[in-house]
Amino acid sequence: MACSCGNAEENQEQYLAPLYDVLAGYECKEKDLIPVLQDAQEEYGYLPQDVLQEIAKGLGVPFSQVYGVVTFYSQFHLEPRGENIIRICMGTACHVRGGDKVLDKMKEELGVDDGETTEDLKFTLESVACIGACGLAPVIMVNDNTHGLLTPEKVPEVLDQYRD
Amino acid sequence: MEQSIYRSHILICGGTGCVSSGCKEVRSSLEDELARHDLEDEIKVLETGCHGFCEKGPLIIVYPESVFYCELKPENMEKLVEEHILKGKIVEEFLYQEPVTNESVRSYKDIDFYKKQERNALANCGHIDPEEIEEYIATGGYQAIGKALTEMTPQEVIDEVKDSGLRGRGGGGFPAGLKWQFASEAEGDKKYVICNADEGDPGAFMDRSLLEGDPHRIIEGMVIAAYAIGADEGYVYVRAEYPLAIKRLRIAIEEAEEYGLLGDNLFGTDFNFDLHIKEGAGAFVCGEETALMASIEGKRGMPRPRPPFPAQKGLWGKPSNINNVETYANVPDVIQDGAETYKQVGTEGSTGTKVFALTGKINNTGLAEVPMGITMREIIYDIGGGINDGKEFKAVQIGGPSGGCLPEDKLDLTIDYDSLLEVGAMMGSGGLVVMDEDTCMVDVSRFFLDFTQSESCGKCTPCRVGTKQMLDILERITTGEGQEGDIELLEELAENIKSTSLCGLGQTAPNPVLSTLRYFRDEYEAHIYEQNCPAGACEELLGAYVIDGEACVGCTACTDACPVDAISGEAKEEHQIDEDACIACGACVEKCPVDAITQ
Ligand SMILES: Cc1cc2nc3c(=O)[nH]c(=O)nc-3n(C[C@H](O)[C@H](O)[C@H](O)COP(=O)(O)O)c2cc1C
Ligand code: SF4
Ligand code: SF4
Ligand code: FES
Ligand code: FES
């Protein structure tokens, strides 16, 4: 939000420029709220309050509605997130094939709990309900990549691929 | 046609499952090999959607012989090209092996997993390039819409769908034709058709595969529905977790627009239709139709009371028809071949086929499309190849969080919408999760309650609070804190929640608990009264591990595995576990080569 370098306004302009680009691509009606939030999150990695306020203004919907929508859907995040998002499937097929063991190993390797981000902002760990690759259970998704038929032993190997 | 120039076609699966097991690398290695042998002009490589057999990926089918190779690696391509493509010799080692007989099978048509299926909705999945509209057209695609628009009135289309007996594949099984009739009769200057591709049921992935493997079929089904009810705009609501499905659908819509199959004045008539994609934002309850529409409108996805039904007041208050992906996928066949032909498959009350997602402790996991009226036993044993690791079947869960678990003695039940309801389960979206002797049924119902509880939108109290109470009780039972009266309390809560919740989520949330209580009550009782988990799954109820001294070969594998150094013993001699130190993690059991460690 407010910064201390003396030209807050200019910085704010610069900070919000990508958002204005996003908004320019839409008719800016109520129905565009979710897609705009999705694009904004893609841009900023999460949804900072200033961004939400601008979106409310831009679409002409009350801030309370924007906030209500953001907190309703699990896809939206109000806090900064890791560079890589690890989604561990806790769906039925993965559950019966030991998905919880993969989650435990992942927690151990990263030193974070479900829903948390590592201190170096490299990884965010979250459990999800089903990725739709149940044939390969247990499954995880890192960013847009699916990794299937996992075992706790394979976890470090998968993580290494994203550690640069 | 262009295709005839090639001596052979190699189809490589590019579905989500195979991408994750490395099909991109296999493909580039294959292309390198073909180039190395100057075969690019003779052999065409095509990337298809999911074949439904993802566990065996990456997959390749070589035509015209239709030889099926599976579990391929990039380094296998050199041999495959040199042997099969150059010398015409089938490479035995890459063939599929039947799990029961261990026989290698050459043609995919002879694999048990496919042989017993009737692939209609999935006919093209895995056989055409979903990013090429020409390929869909070459299989007879977009003929049904031509027929509907130029030879049939909207009412005739509706009648045909009604006659076909097609019922909604998204869960409830409501007759599609009747729903269309309501939407067609509703007054309104503007109407919408919506495709529900939210597919939230954990354990189901048929809608994803259809969208990835044959997106034009869904578009065609939707255009026909739009013509029937008089809509000029449509939405496909797809889960954000399905990026590849969204990409393929986007390409398909652009192609259909270029070919004049979407847009204005279709087939020279005055019928116009535009189609948009809406990405979900992660909320299971948005699969419920009224919540889904609220979500498209840019609101929180909370269900509202029905009536009014979407057919009267749907998206932005306009009459709307909403169907599931697989429902739309059936529509082109109904129109093209006629209701009479369509009805030949299936049972009287449930016509046609259904795609099931077979997962869990089963040999062949994947998508199986079968005629309605088939038995569960045929699906699990003939198509699924039975239980893996030689374990005993215990139960099959059908219908996801709204469904139920069926025991062994229900395996010969013929599957249709109505028979499943009678035994306390439901079709749902068609997820079949097979469970073996190691699965604890109390834990399974705890698992589902945990799911519905966290996905409850919170609008109504019975669902929000009631499921939490049920979950608390189940957590108690699985951690050995169960009390007398818990079972009765669960049953009472279940009935209450079922009868007083607003939407299907709450109304069906107790089903997994009720069905496991019905068929596996003894497991609940063992947890509560004996502090024992018969399946050996609930960790808090299990004691320390012990090593059977006679069986132990002293290999020391367990010593290294134990995180708390609870195991002692010299190499080649008997090992012991210190009961007090053991944290019952089970790590040693997995390492022991002679299965000497038990609980
Ligand atoms: C909590 C809940 C989740 C649902 N999820 C889905 C879903 O993911 N996909 C779907 O097609 N229908 C889902 N449904 C059913 C829809 O409300 C609706 O009945 C269906 O889309 C109608 O299509 P059909 O008649 O073609 O089956 C869900 C219902 C409830 C109550
Ligand atoms: S039953 Fe549950 S999910 Fe449905 S409206 Fe009520 S609280 Fe929401
Ligand atoms: S169960 Fe775990 S803690 Fe106990 S002996 Fe085996 S490895 Fe060690
Ligand atoms: S249950 Fe894990 S991917 Fe479907
Ligand atoms: S993704 Fe290749 S078979 Fe399913």
Side-chain angles (χ1 to χ4, degrees):
Chain A
M1 232 185 273
C3 76
S4 49
C5 64
N7 43 27
E9 218 157 278
E10 207 170 292
N11 276 340
Q12 185 74 349
E13 275 300 301
Q14 219 173 9
Y15 181 65
L16 290 175
L19 176 66
Y20 296 135
D21 287 344
V22 166
L23 287 168
Y26 288 90
E27 286 172 69
C28 288
K29 295 200 180 132
E30 185 187 17
K31 73 165 164 66
D32 299 322
L33 177 54
I34 294 172
V36 166
L37 288 169
Q38 284 167 331
D39 289 357
Q41 180 162 285
E42 183 77 35
E43 203 58 58
Y44 293 90
Y46 72 112
L47 293 167
Q49 191 173 349
D50 293 10
V51 167
L52 293 180
Q53 262 156 353
E54 276 312 298
I55 290 176
K57 245 193 266 166
L59 300 189
V61 296
F63 181 69
S64 60
Q65 185 182 339
V66 174
Y67 194 76
V69 165
V70 168
T71 50
F72 183 83
Y73 296 99
S74 62
Q75 194 188 31
F76 297 127
H77 302 279
L78 295 163
E79 299 289 329
R81 311 226 313 142
E83 212 176 291
N84 300 292
I85 312 294
I86 304 178
R87 297 189 178 86
I88 308 219
C89 180
M90 290 284 114
T92 328
C94 293
H95 178 74
V96 302
R97 284 208 187 176
D100 48 348
K101 295 211 175 76
V102 175
L103 176 63
D104 286 345
K105 180 73 182 175
M106 205 50 111
K107 286 182 185 167
E108 187 191 312
E109 283 287 314
L110 296 174
V112 294
D113 233 337
D114 187 7
E116 294 179 353
T117 301
T118 55
E119 257 172 41
D120 60 1
L121 290 182
K122 270 260 170 237
F123 296 100
T124 295
L125 182 64
E126 55 188 37
S127 59
V128 297
C130 174
I131 300 169
C134 328
L136 296 172
V139 181
I140 70 167
M141 227 169 141
V142 185
N143 309 325
D144 276 352
N145 306 324
T146 318
H147 299 265
L149 298 174
L150 281 184
T151 56
E153 290 79 45
K154 288 191 197 157
V155 163
E157 199 184 303
V158 172
L159 283 178
D160 282 345
Q161 294 175 31
Y162 299 91
R163 278 199 166 115
D164 10 273
Chain B
M1 259 179 54
E2 175 215 38
Q3 296 192 345
S4 56
I5 307 170
Y6 295 97
R7 161 163 82 86
S8 173
H9 286 76
I10 302 182
L11 269 55
I12 177 158
C13 178
T16 296
C18 288
V19 171
S20 85
S21 43
C23 70
K24 297 269 181 232
E25 293 75 22
V26 171
R27 181 183 174 157
S28 65
S29 162
L30 173 66
E31 281 171 342
D32 290 348
E33 286 300 322
L34 291 174
R36 204 160 65 84
H37 295 283
D38 283 326
L39 289 165
E40 298 121 304
D41 299 330
E42 277 178 63
I43 314 288
K44 185 170 162 110
V45 178
L46 271 156
E47 189 169 314
T48 70
C50 177
H51 294 236
F53 211 9
C54 324
E55 192 180 12
K56 293 281 176 282
L59 310 177
I60 275 180
I61 302 183
V62 186
Y63 279 104
E65 310 93 311
S66 71
V67 176
F68 181 90
Y69 292 117
C70 59
E71 296 183 274
L72 294 167
K73 297 193 179 60
E75 55 272 26
N76 299 151
M77 291 305 105
E78 184 180 343
K79 183 155 186 184
L80 190 119
V81 169
E82 282 174 6
E83 295 290 312
H84 188 142
I85 306 298
L86 283 177
K87 300 187 200 149
K89 281 206 325 229
I90 288 173
V91 192
E92 292 279 334
E93 63 191 279
F94 306 149
L95 292 176
Y96 170 77
Q97 280 198 341
E98 289 293 355
V100 185
T101 57
N102 285 335
E103 271 172 38
S104 303
V105 188
R106 292 186 173 188
S107 164
Y108 83 95
K109 293 178 192 134
D110 296 328
I111 296 175
D112 280 345
F113 179 75
Y114 288 114
K115 209 160 55 186
K116 308 240 158 87
Q117 295 195 40
E118 183 141 347
R119 289 169 90 90
N120 297 341
L122 295 177
N124 293 338
C125 284
H127 297 283
I128 64 169
D129 181 343
E131 297 184 9
E132 293 289 341
I133 190 172
E134 295 275 359
E135 296 211 5
Y136 179 65
I137 294 172
T139 66
Y142 287 116
Q143 284 183 15
I145 181 63
K147 178 174 172 187
L149 284 180
T150 57
E151 295 169 29
M152 297 166 83
T153 65
Q155 188 57 47
E156 280 167 349
V157 172
I158 295 175
D159 289 340
E160 201 69 37
V161 176
K162 272 194 198 159
D163 279 351
S164 75
L166 173 64
R167 294 171 70 170
R169 302 290 193 246
F174 192 81
L178 200 57
K179 205 190 264 188
W180 293 16
Q181 185 77 58
F182 292 145
S184 134
E185 282 166 7
E187 297 283 333
D189 49 346
K190 171 103 191 163
K191 294 182 186 178
Y192 294 98
V193 290
I194 302 167
C195 175
N196 189 340
D198 198 42
E199 193 159 64
D201 264 10
F205 56 104
M206 57 287 288
D207 295 347
R208 192 209 80 199
S209 289
L210 275 163
L211 288 171
E212 282 179 9
D214 200 10
H216 287 287
R217 184 184 293 266
I218 315 302
I219 298 177
E220 185 172 14
M222 289 186 77
V223 183
I224 294 171
Y227 173 69
I229 71 160
D232 64 359
E233 203 173 346
Y235 285 91
V236 186
Y237 188 92
V238 195
R239 302 181 69 183
E241 287 87 346
Y242 289 0
L244 185 60
I246 293 171
K247 175 183 157 219
R248 297 248 164 97
L249 186 62
R250 188 159 282 144
I251 293 172
I253 289 176
E254 280 165 18
E255 283 182 314
E257 284 168 349
E258 271 169 37
Y259 276 67
L261 296 160
L262 284 173
D264 290 345
N265 303 109
L266 303 186
F267 286 82
T269 66
D270 57 5
F271 171 65
N272 310 326
F273 184 66
D274 286 317
L275 188 56
H276 317 286
I277 300 176
K278 270 280 173 178
E279 265 181 59
F284 173 70
V285 74
C286 283
E288 196 278 340
E289 53 193 30
T290 60
L292 185 149
M293 291 185 295
S295 179
I296 296 181
E297 291 169 11
K299 304 196 179 84
R300 296 162 67 116
M302 286 199 179
R304 60 157 176 77
R306 300 170 307 171
F309 286 94
Q312 282 104 36
K313 273 192 186 335
L315 194 55
W316 287 296
K318 308 292 182 199
S320 305
N321 178 69
I322 175 161
N323 279 120
N324 166 259
V325 174
E326 193 186 332
T327 314
Y328 285 121
N330 275 276
V331 168
D333 281 354
V334 169
I335 298 302
Q336 188 59 26
D337 306 336
E340 277 313 312
T341 309
Y342 185 83
K343 274 195 289 199
Q344 300 299 314
V345 177
T347 66
E348 200 180 330
S350 305
T351 56
T353 57
K354 175 79 191 93
V355 183
F356 290 99
L358 267 181
T359 58
K361 307 282 189 73
I362 189 163
N363 274 316
N364 299 334
T365 62
L367 288 183
E369 181 173 354
V370 291
M372 298 268 195
I374 192 172
T375 66
M376 198 69 92
R377 192 181 296 281
E378 288 172 276
I379 299 185
I380 295 174
Y381 288 91
D382 297 348
I383 296 174
I387 314 305
N388 55 8
D389 295 336
K391 301 263 180 170
E392 286 283 314
F393 170 89
K394 183 188 265 180
V396 54
Q397 209 285 339
I398 176 162
S402 321
C405 292
L406 301 178
E408 169 92 39
D409 67 6
K410 292 282 178 288
L411 280 181
D412 293 308
L413 182 84
T414 54
I415 308 177
D416 63 51
Y417 289 99
D418 311 303
S419 66
L420 285 171
L421 286 176
E422 276 164 34
V423 294
M426 71 184 259
M427 186 76 82
S429 55
L432 287 182
V433 186
V434 176
M435 299 167 181
D436 68 10
E437 54 193 290
D438 296 339
T439 317
C440 167
M441 302 316 285
V442 188
D443 177 60
V444 165
S445 63
R446 182 201 57 78
F447 166 80
F448 279 112
L449 251 289
D450 187 34
F451 176 80
T452 38
Q453 204 277 320
S454 65
E455 295 295 338
S456 163
C457 80
K459 186 165 177 169
C460 49
T461 325
C463 171
R464 185 184 67 234
V465 181
T467 54
K468 178 81 178 86
Q469 282 178 325
M470 287 184 79
L471 178 62
D472 286 346
I473 299 174
L474 289 166
E475 276 176 348
R476 269 210 327 259
I477 299 179
T478 51
T479 50
E481 310 280 315
Q483 300 158 6
E484 200 168 340
D486 275 352
I487 294 182
E488 294 70 21
L489 194 55
L490 278 174
E491 284 172 329
E492 195 186 313
L493 281 165
E495 288 313 323
N496 265 326
I497 297 169
K498 273 174 87 104
S499 55
T500 55
S501 292
L502 171 65
C503 86
L505 190 150
Q507 288 159 7
T508 59
N511 285 355
V513 181
L514 289 174
S515 78
T516 47
L517 274 172
R518 179 165 163 187
Y519 299 115
F520 301 96
R521 203 181 186 91
D522 52 336
E523 283 196 32
Y524 283 82
E525 287 167 351
H527 282 76
I528 298 174
Y529 300 113
E530 295 157 28
Q531 259 84 62
N532 176 28
C533 173
C538 296
E539 283 177 12
E540 271 90 345
L541 296 184
L542 300 171
Y545 283 80
V546 283
I547 296 178
D548 173 0
E550 307 233 320
C552 176
V553 292
C555 70
T556 74
C558 56
T559 333
D560 298 337
C562 180
V564 294
D565 292 331
I567 309 180
S568 56
E570 296 298 316
K572 304 232 168 78
E573 279 170 32
E574 247 176 62
H575 281 52
Q576 287 92 27
I577 296 177
D578 174 356
E579 265 185 52
D580 298 325
C582 172
I583 53 168
C585 69
C588 52
V589 181
E590 279 159 35
K591 286 283 166 339
C592 181
V594 292
D595 294 333
I597 310 176
T598 50
Q599 229 164 355

